[in-house]
């Protein structure tokens, strides 16, 4: 017997954790009754309520019953809220990831729309009492209501779908722009998700016009009921200042067009979900809800059944689960307690370290350098950063004073005598780092831990000058230190279990995600990027135009072109990275000779007054023009295959060399350390989809079901 898509959707939800819709009738102060629906999955706050097919059908039945009650006159309003700390956390992603076909995915969109539309068709006003997390479908529940109020303590509010490779497909892409206009709506639907899934709190949601009122958290529910009573009785008039007027409607298309160009300039055109979202927001200006919701159903079905969503779920699982406990962490080893931190250096990077350690570990931090002038400048820089955070409301005045009091400076290594943890941030040269470690070991306690932030030098060689190399660990941050979530923890053959366990504990306290890597050049992220940058420089030095090389790299999904990345990290640094990898593996990594010439010139890209890249600097192009007349430029497709094959080769070698235990650590590193987009799922799923894995080593990094069909 053939099963329908609806039947298949029902079968998939057999093990769903159902969020039930409990109804309580609440008397209104001015007379009449409000039916209060509470969404609750019966779990504690650690398991937010989600919305699967069975949940939606139960909610649909409840709303049908309430509509009958409204028609009979037994209720005068309906409100919907959530369990403690959570309104609703959106669709059940485990259910969505298991959808077997586009047709079944389409049914999920239709079910969501059919259910939530009932909130605006009850015959009485509907109210969303948003008391906590309201993500994706959760926020869309609120958007379907007639009115919305937010708790002052509500956190985690947004539409993160684009971040996950889909779109707000239960009304959000249509209703939000109609409520607050396209520009503000695109901030929530596209811009925030692309900024590492930035979310709002209740205050921001009300300021943006999503909410009609902000209710103090201490009396949220009774105050929300009283506010709703005011609206129902006519005492409270709701004014929505952010609703789009005639001018905004006239400029609607222009706003979306500008946003489209900005998105393409930032992330390229490979990710599908941002552009489908832009299409839906553009269309939201006109047409009936039936038409617009049908568009959402089609877009959601296409994306849910596509390979980018499958890749996003793989990436999401890495970040949510695998990142919680680093693979290779020592079992049963207690980390050492850190009571004081020393930072060798007082420059920009050292100052970032000191601020982060003081803020997160809440222990004294001392920085040191060769002169009092440098030390004073470093401390002043840290104080300025704290003042900036205070001005932005990221720290309280008391916390700002506490952080400043924890940081001090000295020109003497004696200040490190009682430090448990000392990290160096000195010049990236082996002899310099060895010299400071040799000297510092004479001062610090025998059990104090030494850490290096090197990005390319051998940690083992660095530790060879120590009387106890077991105390040394690599602790590689990514810049900017406060923002980038990844930490590469480098274990040498000598690093002790206790030191490694302590390093992982410190990383967790710093709110960083750690991956454990062997001591090989470039570790994980820089080794992969060095292969990309090397192939890019090889291409231009063989005569392929810069533009063509960049076009060939674009399908990889990296957040910027190789040449933009080189300017971001610094051209001299890029040349050093290429040279260090070429020295280790000259047959695979291209040297940095041409890049050194460009570094002396100072730039690759030309930019406008706002700093936006406008092209390639003619002098830089000339500096790497091939000397040989027989140099043969290639097209973008050939460059793309060169990039893919080089990466498949390098990732495969990294696994064979034991740099990490599994390919998932490489993907996690690139997602968190290089901004690799969720839609690509990491570099290894892309290499499998593109066929590069088969071409290079005759296999795959993953089972085909994990990464979806080939894209070429």
């Amino acid at each position: 017997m053939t099963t329908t898509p609806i039947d298949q959707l029902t079968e998939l939800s057999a093990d769903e954790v159902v969020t039930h819709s409990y109804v309580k009738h609440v008397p209104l102060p001015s007379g009449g009754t409000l039916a209060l629906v509470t969404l609750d999955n019966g779990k504690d706050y650690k398991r937010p309520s989600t919305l699967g097919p069975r949940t939606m059908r139960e909610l649909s039945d409840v709303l049908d019953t309430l509509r009958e009650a409204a028609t009979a006159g037994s209720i005068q309003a309906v409100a919907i809220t959530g369990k403690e700390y959570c309104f609703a956390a959106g669709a059940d992603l485990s259910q969505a990831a298991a959808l077997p076909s586009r047709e079944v995915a389409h049914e999920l969109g239709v079910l969501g729309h059919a259910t939530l539309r009932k909130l605006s068709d009850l015959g009485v006003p509907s109210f969303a009492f948003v008391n906590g997390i309201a993500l994706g479908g959760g926020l869309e529940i609120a958007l379907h209501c007639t009115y919305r109020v937010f708790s002052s303590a509500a956190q985690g509010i947004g539409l993160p779908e684009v971040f996950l490779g889909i779109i707000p497909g239960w009304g959000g892409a249509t209703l939000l722009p109609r409520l607050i206009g396209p520009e503000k709506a695109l901030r929530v639907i596209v811009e925030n998700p692309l900024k590492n899934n930035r979310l709002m709190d209740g205050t921001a949601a009300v300021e943006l016009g999503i909410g009609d009122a902000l209710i103090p958290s201490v009396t949220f529910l009774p105050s929300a009921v009283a506010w709703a009573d005011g609206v129902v009785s006519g005492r409270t008039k709701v004014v929505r200042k952010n609703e789009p007027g005639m001018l905004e409607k006239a400029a609607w298309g222009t706003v979306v067009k500008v946003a489209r160009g900005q998105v393409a300039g930032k992330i390229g055109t490979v990710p599908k979900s941002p552009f489908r979202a832009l299409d839906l927001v553009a269309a939201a200006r006109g047409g009936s809800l039936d038409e617009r919701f049908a568009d959402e159903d089609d877009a959601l079905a296409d994306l849910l059944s596509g390979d980018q969503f499958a890749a996003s779920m793989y990436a999401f699982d890495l970040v949510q689960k695998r990142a919680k406990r680093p693979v290779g962490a020592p079992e049963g080893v207690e980390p050492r307690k850190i009571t004081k931190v020393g930072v060798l250096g007082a420059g920009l990077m050292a100052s970032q370290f000191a601020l982060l350690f003081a803020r997160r570990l809440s222990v004294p931090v001392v920085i040191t350098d060769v002169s009092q002038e440098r030390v004073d400048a470093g401390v002043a820089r840290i104080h300025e950063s704290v003042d900036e955070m205070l001005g932005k409301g990221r720290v309280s005045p008391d916390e700002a004073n506490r952080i400043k009091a924890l940081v001090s400076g000295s020109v003497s290594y004696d200040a490190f005598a009682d430090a448990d943890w000392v990290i160096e941030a000195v010049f990236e040269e082996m002899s310099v780092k060895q010299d400071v470690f040799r000297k510092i070991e004479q001062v610090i306690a025998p059990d104090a831990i030494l850490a290096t932030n090197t990005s390319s030098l051998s940690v083992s060689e660095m530790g060879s000058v120590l009387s106890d190399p077991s105390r040394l660990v690599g602790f590689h941050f990514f810049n900017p230190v406060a923002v980038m979530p990844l930490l590469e923890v480098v274990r040498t053959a000598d690093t002790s279990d206790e030191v490694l366990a302590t390093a992982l504990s410190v990383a967790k306290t710093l709110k960083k995600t750690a991956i454990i890597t062997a001591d090989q050049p470039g570790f994980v992220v820089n080794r992969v990027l060095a292969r990309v940058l090397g192939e890019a420089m090889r291409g231009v030095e063989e005569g392929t135009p810069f533009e063509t090389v960049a076009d060939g790299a674009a399908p990889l999904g990296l957040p910027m072109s190789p040449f933009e990345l080189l300017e971001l990290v610094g051209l001299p640094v890029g040349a050093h990275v290429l040279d260090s990898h070429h020295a280790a593996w000259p047959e695979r990594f291209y040297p940095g000779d041409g890049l050194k010439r460009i570094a002396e010139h100072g730039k690759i890209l030309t930019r406008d007054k706002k700093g936006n890249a406008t092209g390639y600097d003619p002098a830089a192009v000339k500096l790497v023009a091939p000397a040989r007349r027989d140099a043969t430029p290639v097209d973008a497709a050939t460059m793309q295959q060169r990039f893919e094959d080089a990466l498949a080769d390098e990732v495969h070698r990294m696994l064979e060399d034991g740099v990490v235990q599994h390919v998932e650590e490489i993907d996690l590193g690139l997602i968190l350390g290089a901004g690799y987009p969720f839609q690509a799922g990491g570099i290894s799923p892309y290499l499998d989809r593109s066929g590069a894995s088969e071409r290079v080593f005759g296999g795959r990094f993953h089972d085909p079901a994990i990464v979806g069909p080939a894209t070429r």
Side-chain angles (χ1 to χ4, degrees), residues 531-532 534-544 549 552-553 556 590 632-650 687 692 695-696 712:
R531 196 75 194 266
V532 172
E535 290 304 318
M537 291 308 299
R538 186 198 304 273
V540 295
E541 291 187 47
E542 290 178 352
T544 301
V549 171
L556 300 178
Y590 201 67
T632 307
V634 298
D635 60 16
T638 303
M639 278 305 313
Q640 179 181 344
Q641 184 163 327
R642 282 190 187 180
F643 282 122
E644 291 171 352
D645 291 358
L647 287 172
D649 175 54
E650 204 57 43
L687 295 172
R695 290 196 302 267
V696 172
R712 293 178 61 191

Side-chain angles (χ1 to χ4, degrees), residues 481-503:
V481 171
V483 176
M484 297 300 286
L486 184 70
L487 246 173
E488 290 178 329
V489 176
V490 185
R491 180 173 196 171
T492 72
D494 296 309
T495 305
S496 73
D497 283 351
E498 185 184 28
V499 167
L500 181 61
T502 304

Side-chain angles (χ1 to χ4, degrees), residues 219-343:
T219 59
F220 178 68
L221 197 54
S223 296
V225 171
W227 187 89
D229 179 60
V231 173
V232 172
S233 66
R235 299 191 316 274
T236 299
K237 301 298 182 184
V238 176
V239 179
R240 292 173 176 159
K241 297 179 181 178
N242 288 350
E243 277 190 330
M246 291 182 60
L247 290 177
E248 193 159 16
K249 288 180 179 178
W252 197 293
T254 302
V255 168
V256 176
K257 182 179 180 180
V258 169
R260 194 182 301 274
Q262 291 172 337
V263 171
K266 181 179 179 181
I267 64 169
T269 57
V270 174
K272 298 174 184 176
S273 59
F275 297 99
R276 290 301 291 267
L278 284 159
D279 292 342
L280 293 170
V281 172
R285 183 180 182 276
S288 67
L289 286 182
D290 286 342
E291 293 170 321
R292 298 291 73 83
F293 288 173
D295 290 343
E296 289 185 6
D297 291 338
D298 286 337
L300 188 63
D302 290 343
L303 293 169
L304 280 173
S305 59
D307 57 2
Q308 289 191 358
F309 177 67
S312 291
M313 288 299 94
Y314 166 77
F316 185 77
D317 189 66
L318 286 182
V319 172
Q320 292 296 311
K321 297 178 183 177
R322 200 176 193 89
K324 304 299 182 188
R325 178 170 174 78
V327 174
E331 297 285 347
V333 180
E334 284 296 316
R336 197 173 303 166
K337 183 172 180 168
I338 303 300
T339 61
K340 182 177 178 180
V341 170
V343 180

Side-chain angles (χ1 to χ4, degrees), residues 425-440:
V426 299
F427 189 66
E428 189 76 349
E429 187 174 302
M430 181 62 72
S431 61
V432 176
K433 293 181 185 291
Q434 286 180 327
D435 185 54
V436 296
F437 276 146
R438 188 186 292 110
K439 292 176 179 175
I440 208 72

